[in-house]
């Protein structure tokens, strides 16, 4: 009998949604009986909240990390250290419950055999529902960074999926039994399990597969003054071409397209795409914000990174991990970014060494491993 898996994420940043989509994609693949491995339904919790709550939870987050990253960093650490039973935490949980009642109705209608949360908000909501016996199916948590914030850790969870052994160690430190923790990596789409052909992809995008290619990424929201960074990089000497992903930032894309006119054959400006793996297949180096999903995709394809101006909190922790593993350099401003790019362009052997380490570290089948574990546990 096909099992019903409910995936719950939150559209605050793109990574949580992409992790859920990756698991959903594997669920749609063939199972042992010739049909899909599971009947998966992916819900964005923000589709079941009040408009005011949605604006606070998503728009405010994007503005905060873009305009006041230091304040976000303070909140990240303060909420990690805050006692769970403090009045502020109880108030926060109460507000969240009041604004998410429609979600519980939707869950009851689907009647899942198991739930996987790729954001901490639904995990926290369902922990209470399980404790009060308002929900009976097992709930799993997939942490989507190379870090563990306490807001991911809740009672009554069936199990946790961690990106690394260190995250698993921190989970055990928070009191989660070892047998409930699985080190799978961070879920990414099936397309990353086998690297696309560089020549074919480059030809499809109209770029030269023989030239060194740098991919500059601003995440789904296109953050990070992309046109300014691109202009500085294009002024560097050397025979390289630059691809810039502006995500959903229409203003940045328009500015980049204008800039491309000044550098024919050297700059390709792209908006949001669902085929980022094809652009990565063309690249020799990626400059990116160190989100958990994007960096996991880079690792799966063996792409060295320069992590650019990570925001305090989870991105700084992600950057620390990647630097320690020797797969990335870090730029904290435009000057250091220019220096790091020059360094790697002048020392291709260093780029190659980083590439080998990235390939060894990647977990391209993380989403499949998560789904397999959940389905096996549900049958048992």
């Amino acid at each position: 009998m096909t099992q019903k898996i409910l995936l719950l994420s939150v559209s605050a940043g793109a990574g949580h949604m992409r992790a859920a989509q990756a698991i959903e994609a594997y669920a749609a693949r063939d199972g042992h009986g010739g049909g899909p491995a599971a009947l998966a339904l992916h819900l964005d919790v923000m589709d079941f909240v009040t408009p005011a709550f949605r604006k606070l939870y998503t728009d405010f987050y994007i503005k905060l990390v873009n305009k006041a990253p230091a304040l976000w960093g303070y909140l990240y650490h303060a909420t990690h250290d805050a006692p769970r039973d403090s009045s502020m935490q109880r108030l926060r949980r109460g507000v969240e419950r009041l604004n998410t009642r429609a979600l519980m109705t939707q869950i009851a209608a689907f009647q899942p055999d198991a739930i996987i949360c790729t954001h901490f908000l639904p995990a926290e909501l369902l922990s209470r529902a399980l404790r009060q016996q308002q929900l009976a199916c097992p709930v799993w948590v997939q942490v989507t960074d190379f870090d563990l914030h306490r807001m991911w850790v809740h009672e009554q969870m069936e199990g946790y999926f961690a990106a690394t052994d260190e995250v698993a160690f921190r989970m055990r430190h928070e009191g989660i039994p070892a047998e409930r923790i699985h080190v799978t990596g961070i879920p990414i789409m099936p397309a990353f399990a086998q690297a696309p052909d560089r020549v074919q992809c480059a030809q499809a995008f109209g770029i030269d597969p023989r030239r060194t290619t740098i991919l500059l990424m601003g995440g789904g929201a296109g953050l990070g003054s992309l046109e300014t960074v691109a202009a500085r990089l294009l002024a560097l000497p050397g025979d390289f071409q630059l691809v810039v992903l502006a995500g959903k930032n229409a203003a940045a894309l328009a500015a980049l397209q204008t800039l491309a006119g000044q550098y024919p054959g050297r700059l390709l400006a792209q908006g949001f795409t669902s085929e980022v793996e094809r652009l990565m297949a063309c690249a020799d180096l990626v400059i990116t914000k160190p989100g958990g999903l994007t960096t996991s995709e880079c690792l799966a394809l063996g792409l060295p990174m320069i992590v650019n101006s990570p925001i305090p909190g989870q991105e700084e922790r992600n950057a620390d991990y990647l630097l320690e593993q020797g797969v990335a350099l870090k730029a904290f401003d435009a000057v250091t970014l220019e220096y790091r790019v020059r360094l790697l362009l002048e020392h291709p052997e260093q780029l190659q060494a980083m590439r080998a380490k990235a390939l060894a570290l990647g977990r391209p089948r993380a989403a499949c491993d998560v789904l397999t574990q959940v389905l096996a546990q549900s049958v048992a």
Side-chain angles (χ1 to χ4, degrees):
M1 181 178 177
T2 302
Q3 295 183 64
K4 297 166 71 176
I5 306 297
L6 180 60
L7 297 151
L8 296 178
S9 59
V10 172
S11 53
H16 305 289
M17 298 286 285
R18 281 159 53 203
Q21 289 163 354
I23 300 170
E24 183 182 29
Y26 274 102
R29 291 189 157 194
D30 290 347
H32 296 301
L39 175 59
L41 175 65
H42 173 204
L43 299 178
D44 177 3
V45 175
M46 291 299 104
D47 288 338
F48 302 92
V49 301
T50 62
F53 187 80
R54 184 185 307 116
K55 192 171 186 60
L56 175 68
Y57 217 92
T58 58
D59 296 355
F60 179 70
Y61 169 76
I62 296 296
K63 288 180 180 176
L64 191 60
V65 299
N66 203 24
K67 302 294 185 184
L71 177 56
W72 165 252
Y74 168 78
L75 292 173
Y76 185 87
H77 296 295
T79 52
H80 177 81
D81 296 332
R84 292 183 185 276
D85 60 349
S86 70
S87 56
M88 284 301 296
Q89 292 284 32
R90 291 199 300 272
L91 175 62
R92 177 184 60 78
R93 289 193 291 268
V95 170
E96 290 172 354
R97 286 196 300 275
L98 284 174
N99 285 276
T100 54
R101 287 175 173 169
L103 174 66
M104 300 306 296
T105 302
Q106 189 68 25
I107 293 173
F110 185 61
Q111 296 185 332
D113 295 301
I115 298 174
I116 307 173
C117 301
T118 61
H119 190 278
F120 49 80
L121 173 60
E124 184 169 52
L125 295 168
L126 298 184
S127 172
R128 185 174 188 272
L130 287 165
R131 189 169 60 249
Q132 297 188 343
Q133 300 184 333
Q134 297 170 346
L135 182 70
C137 75
V139 179
W140 300 76
V141 176
Q142 170 68 61
V143 177
T144 56
D145 284 297
F146 300 100
D147 184 32
L148 179 67
H149 191 287
R150 280 183 182 164
M151 291 186 75
W152 286 97
V153 180
H154 302 287
E155 298 175 344
Q156 310 291 332
M157 298 293 105
E158 183 72 14
Y160 288 79
F161 299 106
T164 66
D165 290 333
E166 182 174 343
V167 173
F169 180 85
R170 295 188 61 192
M171 286 176 172
R172 294 194 294 274
H173 179 73
E174 293 295 330
I176 301 171
E179 64 271 18
R180 292 180 181 266
I181 301 169
H182 307 274
V183 181
T184 55
I186 297 172
I188 54 178
M189 294 296 282
F192 290 91
Q194 185 170 4
D197 182 79
R198 175 182 176 115
V199 173
Q200 290 181 3
C201 293
Q203 289 174 343
F205 288 108
I207 57 180
D208 187 344
R210 297 164 299 180
R211 295 170 69 189
T212 299
T213 301
I214 300 173
L215 176 60
L216 171 61
M217 304 179 70
L223 303 178
S225 303
L226 294 173
E227 63 274 23
T228 303
V229 175
R232 185 162 190 140
L233 293 177
L234 288 166
L236 294 177
D239 181 25
F240 69 89
Q241 53 197 353
L242 180 65
V243 178
V244 185
L245 268 177
K248 296 179 180 177
N249 189 334
L253 179 61
L256 286 163
Q257 289 170 335
T258 300
L259 184 65
Q262 302 172 32
Y263 296 91
R266 289 200 67 199
L267 172 60
L268 173 66
Q270 284 282 303
F272 185 83
T273 175
S274 60
E275 295 184 321
V276 69
E277 75 280 357
R278 294 175 62 79
L279 284 170
M280 286 185 175
C282 305
D284 301 283
L285 171 67
V286 173
I287 302 170
T288 180
K289 304 286 283 181
L293 264 291
T294 296
T295 54
S296 293
E297 292 166 352
C298 288
L299 293 176
L301 295 183
L303 274 174
M305 292 165 266
I306 296 179
V307 291
N308 191 27
S309 301
I311 59 172
Q314 74 273 28
E315 282 198 358
E316 277 194 343
R317 298 286 177 83
N318 291 342
D320 289 344
Y321 171 74
L322 297 168
L323 266 62
E324 290 166 1
Q325 299 300 320
V327 299
L329 302 180
K330 176 182 175 182
F332 53 84
D333 62 14
V335 177
T336 54
L337 175 60
E338 178 182 334
Y339 176 82
R340 308 291 189 200
V341 172
R342 282 176 180 267
L343 178 74
L344 293 177
L345 290 177
E346 292 169 0
H347 297 278
E349 72 283 359
Q350 183 174 349
L351 205 57
Q352 185 57 38
M354 293 168 67
R355 183 178 187 87
K357 291 178 180 177
L359 269 176
L361 204 60
R363 289 179 177 268
R365 291 180 58 80
C368 182
D369 293 343
V370 169
L371 182 65
T372 300
Q373 179 63 41
V374 170
L375 293 177
Q377 198 86 354
S378 296
V379 169

